[in-house]
Amino acid sequence: MAVTDRGPSGERVRKAAVKLFAAKGFHGTGIRDLATEAELSSASLYHYMGTKEQLLAGIMTECLGHLLTGARLAVAGVADPRERLGRLVVVHVIAHAVRPEETQVVDNEVRALSPETRRGVVELRDAYELLWAETIDEGVRAGAFHPGEPAVTRLALLEMCSGVARWYSPRGALSLEQLAGHYAELAMRALGCADSGPGPDLARCRAVVTRVWGAPDEVPSTGH
Amino acid sequence: MAVTDRGPSGERVRKAAVKLFAAKGFHGTGIRDLATEAELSSASLYHYMGTKEQLLAGIMTECLGHLLTGARLAVAGVADPRERLGRLVVVHVIAHAVRPEETQVVDNEVRALSPETRRGVVELRDAYELLWAETIDEGVRAGAFHPGEPAVTRLALLEMCSGVARWYSPRGALSLEQLAGHYAELAMRALGCADSGPGPDLARCRAVVTRVWGAPDEVPSTGH
Amino acid sequence: MAVTDRGPSGERVRKAAVKLFAAKGFHGTGIRDLATEAELSSASLYHYMGTKEQLLAGIMTECLGHLLTGARLAVAGVADPRERLGRLVVVHVIAHAVRPEETQVVDNEVRALSPETRRGVVELRDAYELLWAETIDEGVRAGAFHPGEPAVTRLALLEMCSGVARWYSPRGALSLEQLAGHYAELAMRALGCADSGPGPDLARCRAVVTRVWGAPDEVPSTGH
Amino acid sequence: MAVTDRGPSGERVRKAAVKLFAAKGFHGTGIRDLATEAELSSASLYHYMGTKEQLLAGIMTECLGHLLTGARLAVAGVADPRERLGRLVVVHVIAHAVRPEETQVVDNEVRALSPETRRGVVELRDAYELLWAETIDEGVRAGAFHPGEPAVTRLALLEMCSGVARWYSPRGALSLEQLAGHYAELAMRALGCADSGPGPDLARCRAVVTRVWGAPDEVPSTGH
DNA sequence: TATGAATGAGATTTCATTCAT
DNA sequence: AATGAATGAAATCTCATTCAT
């Protein structure tokens, strides 16, 4: 009965919710929209989700959990702040590029949660952003980064990278690796990093995202 | 009866809508919420707004109009692409910092518009972004900018600058001018602009924003 | 908007609720039943009642308030416990006979209230029953009553008198005064009151009930 | 599949229904409530009950059957109307005291039955009340009772005695026998019976109730 | 200018029930 | 014997909107 259930129908419910919440927003998506998309009656929906809000919370928690796990895996054992931050950027960008719906829901719908539910989600998000903040601080202390305002720069970078979810298309000119590499370069420039070195290990980051999220759903041939 | 009406009550309706649409989203805001916030009955609301959607469209059109006017005023007569782009960034950032509610509504609620209404709004937004695109192209042609991917960089910069509306507080450590100057610097770095020169004319840009939007409402002493 | 509002439609809503809650119970009465009975759309119902539960609570509070006021008026200034208790019985019986619907709702639907709402209703009911308990105690102390078990006898009498609401019909053989007088006599017998005296002032009690509740609605010619 | 089935689970269903129908009413009790209380899935419930209404009807029929059987057993062979009525009162009171849930369901939920189902239940109830009516009439004819209004007195006594189910607790001050004896005395007083004699055979009545209903469930140590 | 009254349509959620397994 | 999956119908309540005053 919980949102984490995974029968064939439960999976359809989750996918329908991710798609519609991303496209129309939580409040813009009705139960009947979900039911139609999931090919179930609206009453049957309630076997798989608790309430609509619990469904949203489940999606957000899972997505943030994946993001956090991915980021930690990607930087595990990496000491150089430039490589660490580069990997954070790359994982973030790739995740937002291959999972634009989940990540947009996380970015846009926090306000739709009730205060109690929101608390847990915000804690996860804060834990994730803390990884960025710590890494930037380390880079500053190590003399690698020279941002004017570390906190402002962190926020600016996060917004910039998250924005990818809103426009990136795998059918566009850029491959995922090119995109992520470009953003890593932008980040280094923003941090005033003169010698950004060879750039983060793109392949490893890509593998981490795939490990955490599973293979992306087959890319639909139209739309986006 | 039109959305452009401006009596004392009509103004309250507009402000209520901006505040609530920004805070809870268009679909998350009910007519009664608006009525309560505007201190009118919900029936009275309909003297000032047409439908709820027309109210939203009016807010977006006005805000985008201001943004467009401000940007054009700021760069009028400026030839140097670096100074032009710097001013675009500064106006954008200041506008998003002093009018976070209107600008967030513009950024988040386009999808809530019906297709017909959306067309006009999207045209305005495209016209605005065209200013950025043209300026970046000029800079590239002039050898001032060296972005890896001009289009990607433009999108990245816009997302980054718009994000300011989500977190900037006038009670924080940064003044508007510091903030805007910092973002202009980030933009130059992102564009690979080696010699960014003295930076854009912050005072002039600030004045333009004020001219276009009027003085910001007195900053409330608490909250955000 | 509150349940105490009294426009022509609001009055209809209240009457519909009293009738249907009495006949079918709170949970057995749907919003649409209420709307049909009140000759309004179900949406319009919500102009007059808050929620269905608030409507119920309003009915109960008003009825208990009337009962309490009536009882206090009837015994005001009366010293003799026999006359006092007789009047309590008579007022109770007449009230249950002329307002069988309200009183049955009070007697049967307390459990349908949420805990918070229930508290206030139960307090009123306890205040009312306290009048009976005090009067019986006084009579015992004065040597007028000789009940085996005062508390049990009080409960037994209350149940007995409240039962009137379930079966009394003004078209039956007994007039209100006969009925009430009979119950007063039963009560005296139950309390082991050898000399019950002339019996309580029936006319005064009848007048009190009328004063408190207003004239009973014209007795419908059929049904009950 | 029928309501009379009695496996271990079927018994749990019946008990759950009695408990919940008494506590929350028929319409206030959902199938899922029943399932939870009976520790079965809601689908499994349907192996033991027919429909929810048949479950209710079964409970009422059984309870009324027990009541009727008990009353007949108790008065079998007793000629004196005072002893007969005393026993009717005592059996009724004891039954309502030891089976408060079943008896409350019978008293409160008749209206929840469909007309067809209701007919049979009402017939049983009428047969039961006829025992009281006949006995009172006999007593009047024999000059033992002097009620003002026999029919009214009968109703008043029944309401009074049934009320026991709403408040009696085996953990209170009164034993079952004391309680029942007290009510028998109240009844004699109400009927104007000057010489009520030694009182009804309490032990025999208690035994009859136990025979008919089986031993009451072990009294839980808390609650009620 | 302003609003109380009113509503059809629709919101989310629960209802009692069935059925394949 | 037991249940997870499923659903049409209905529950309560809110929606945006209109209109007479």
Side-chain angles (χ1 to χ4, degrees), chain A residues 85-189:
Chain A
L85 191 82
R87 291 193 181 190
L88 289 178
V89 167
V90 168
V91 165
H92 191 97
V93 166
I94 292 179
H96 280 69
V98 300
R99 294 289 179 172
E101 294 174 331
E102 283 92 335
T103 49
Q104 279 182 280
V105 170
V106 167
D107 288 339
N108 296 332
E109 303 297 340
V110 173
R111 66 185 174 196
L113 296 171
S114 66
E116 312 87 69
T117 312
R118 178 156 48 213
R119 189 173 312 119
V121 170
V122 168
E123 277 174 13
L124 274 176
R125 196 188 56 186
D126 288 348
Y128 178 72
E129 295 195 5
L130 188 60
L131 282 179
W132 286 57
E134 289 173 342
T135 303
I136 291 175
D137 284 350
E138 289 165 19
V140 171
R141 278 198 302 273
F145 299 156
H146 305 88
E149 293 281 339
V152 171
T153 306
R154 184 187 82 246
L155 289 164
L157 287 179
L158 274 166
E159 295 284 353
M160 184 180 81
C161 296
S162 298
V164 163
R166 290 184 214 168
W167 59 263
Y168 177 76
S169 165
R171 280 175 302 288
L174 266 68
S175 71
L176 271 183
E177 279 77 9
Q178 288 175 311
L179 175 80
H182 186 64
Y183 268 78
E185 175 63 21
L186 286 176
M188 290 303 140
R189 291 185 182 184

Side-chain angles (χ1 to χ4, degrees), chain B:
Chain B
M1 184 191 298
V3 254
T4 52
D5 279 4
R6 284 293 151 51
S9 293
E11 195 59 31
R12 283 212 310 281
V13 171
R14 176 71 69 113
K15 281 190 187 172
V18 167
K19 175 176 173 182
L20 294 179
F21 288 169
K24 317 202 294 178
F26 178 74
H27 289 302
T29 302
I31 289 287
R32 287 165 152 164
D33 297 325
L34 288 171
T36 300
E37 181 73 27
E39 294 176 293
L40 267 80
S41 74
S42 59
S44 297
L45 236 51
Y46 284 84
H47 277 277
Y48 299 100
M49 59 176 219
T51 64
K52 194 183 154 196
E53 190 190 354
Q54 286 166 359
L55 178 60
L56 172 63
I59 289 167
M60 297 181 110
T61 303
E62 186 184 65
C63 181
L64 277 167
H66 287 344
L67 219 38
L68 196 46
T69 304
R72 285 178 174 151
L73 281 175
V75 300
V78 176
D80 180 358
R82 292 171 304 181
E83 176 70 15
R84 285 178 65 90
L85 190 82
R87 290 193 182 191
L88 289 177
V89 167
V90 168
V91 165
H92 191 96
V93 165
I94 292 180
H96 281 68
V98 301
R99 294 290 179 172
E101 291 172 338
E102 283 93 334
T103 50
Q104 280 182 281
V105 170
V106 167
D107 288 339
N108 297 331
E109 302 297 338
V110 173
R111 66 186 173 195
L113 296 170
S114 66
E116 312 87 69
T117 312
R118 177 157 49 211
R119 189 174 311 116
V121 170
V122 168
E123 278 174 12
L124 273 175
R125 196 189 56 185
D126 288 347
Y128 177 73
E129 295 195 6
L130 188 60
L131 283 179
W132 286 57
E134 289 173 341
T135 303
I136 290 174
D137 284 350
E138 289 165 20
V140 170
R141 279 198 301 275
F145 298 155
H146 305 88
E149 293 280 338
V152 171
T153 306
R154 183 187 83 246
L155 289 165
L157 288 179
L158 275 166
E159 295 286 352
M160 184 181 79
C161 296
S162 298
V164 163
R166 290 185 214 170
W167 60 263
Y168 178 75
S169 164
R171 279 176 303 289
L174 265 68
S175 72
L176 272 182
E177 279 77 9
Q178 288 174 312
L179 176 79
H182 186 65
Y183 268 78
E185 173 63 21
L186 286 176
M188 290 303 139
R189 290 184 181 184
L191 288 163
C193 183
D195 172 19
S196 62
D201 184 338
L202 292 170
R204 161 114 186 98
C205 292
R206 181 75 184 85
V208 161
V209 171
T210 300
R211 166 127 65 101
V212 168
W213 255 289
D217 306 338
E218 66 286 5
V219 178
S221 55
T222 60
H224 180 346

Side-chain angles (χ1 to χ4, degrees), chain D:
Chain D
M1 184 192 298
V3 254
T4 50
D5 278 6
R6 285 291 152 50
S9 294
E11 195 59 30
R12 283 213 309 282
V13 171
R14 174 71 67 112
K15 281 190 188 173
V18 167
K19 174 177 174 181
L20 294 179
F21 288 169
K24 317 203 296 178
F26 178 74
H27 290 302
T29 302
I31 288 288
R32 287 165 151 159
D33 298 323
L34 287 172
T36 302
E37 181 73 27
E39 295 175 292
L40 266 76
S41 75
S42 59
S44 298
L45 237 50
Y46 283 83
H47 277 278
Y48 299 100
M49 61 175 217
T51 64
K52 194 183 156 197
E53 190 190 353
Q54 286 165 357
L55 178 60
L56 173 62
I59 290 168
M60 297 180 108
T61 301
E62 185 183 66
C63 181
L64 278 167
H66 287 343
L67 219 36
L68 196 46
T69 303
R72 284 177 175 154
L73 282 176
V75 301
V78 177
D80 180 0
R82 292 170 303 180
E83 177 69 18
R84 283 177 67 90
L85 191 82
R87 291 192 181 190
L88 290 178
V89 167
V90 168
V91 165
H92 191 97
V93 166
I94 291 178
H96 280 69
V98 299
R99 295 289 179 172
E101 293 172 336
E102 284 92 334
T103 50
Q104 279 182 280
V105 170
V106 167
D107 288 337
N108 297 330
E109 302 297 339
V110 173
R111 65 188 175 195
L113 297 170
S114 65
E116 314 86 71
T117 312
R118 178 156 47 213
R119 189 172 313 119
V121 170
V122 168
E123 278 174 13
L124 274 176
R125 195 188 58 185
D126 288 347
Y128 177 73
E129 295 195 5
L130 188 60
L131 283 179
W132 286 56
E134 288 173 343
T135 304
I136 291 175
D137 284 349
E138 289 165 19
V140 170
R141 278 199 301 276
F145 300 156
H146 304 89
E149 293 279 339
V152 171
T153 306
R154 183 187 82 245
L155 290 164
L157 287 179
L158 275 166
E159 296 284 353
M160 184 180 79
C161 295
S162 298
V164 163
R166 292 185 213 170
W167 61 262
Y168 178 75
S169 164
R171 280 175 302 288
L174 266 69
S175 71
L176 271 183
E177 280 76 11
Q178 288 173 312
L179 176 79
H182 186 64
Y183 268 77
E185 173 64 22
L186 286 176
M188 290 304 137
R189 289 185 183 183
L191 288 163
C193 183
D195 172 20
S196 61
D201 185 338
L202 293 169
R204 161 114 186 98
C205 293
R206 182 77 185 83
V208 161
V209 171
T210 301
R211 167 130 62 103
V212 169
W213 255 289
D217 305 339
E218 67 285 5
V219 179
S221 55
T222 61
H224 182 342

Side-chain angles (χ1 to χ4, degrees), chain C residues 23-87:
Chain C
K24 316 203 297 177
F26 178 75
H27 290 302
T29 302
I31 289 288
R32 294 160 121 151
D33 298 323
L34 286 171
T36 301
E37 181 73 28
E39 295 175 293
L40 264 75
S41 75
S42 59
S44 298
L45 234 51
Y46 285 84
H47 272 281
Y48 300 100
M49 59 176 218
T51 62
K52 195 184 150 195
E53 191 191 351
Q54 286 166 357
L55 179 59
L56 172 63
I59 289 168
M60 297 180 110
T61 302
E62 186 184 65
C63 181
L64 279 167
H66 286 343
L67 221 36
L68 196 45
T69 304
R72 285 178 174 152
L73 281 175
V75 301
V78 176
D80 180 359
R82 292 170 304 179
E83 176 70 18
R84 284 177 67 91
L85 191 82
R87 290 192 180 190

